[in-house]
Amino acid sequence: MGRRVVVTGLGTVNPLGNSVKDSWARIRAGENGIGPLTRFDAADYPCRIAGELKDFAPEKVMESKDAR
């Protein structure tokens, strides 16, 4: 017998946005979230591009204890 799944909400945090609305708008506009690494110096790595989260504040979506 198959497993049952219940979807109780929709949320996302990804390189295109920190909400469903923002992410979907950027997807529809044909944007992507891939770009040069900015959060650390990647000069010693063979790959210098990634999908980084932008303007994400974990304290807004979880307790600070869990965010650490």
Side-chain angles (χ1 to χ4, degrees), residues 43-62:
D44 294 334
Y45 294 92
C47 181
R48 295 179 190 90
I49 60 170
E52 295 180 315
L53 297 180
K54 297 165 187 74
D55 303 321
F56 177 63
E59 302 82 25
K60 290 185 177 182
V61 295
M62 64 181 77

Side-chain angles (χ1 to χ4, degrees), residues 22-36:
D22 291 342
S23 298
W24 189 241
R26 289 185 171 144
I27 290 168
R28 290 182 53 112
E31 296 181 32
N32 73 62
I34 307 302

Side-chain angles (χ1 to χ4, degrees), residues 12-14 16-28:
T12 184
V13 174
N14 65 72
L16 288 175
N18 297 326
S19 71
V20 173
K21 181 180 177 182
D22 291 342
S23 298
W24 189 241
R26 289 185 171 144
I27 290 168
R28 290 182 53 112

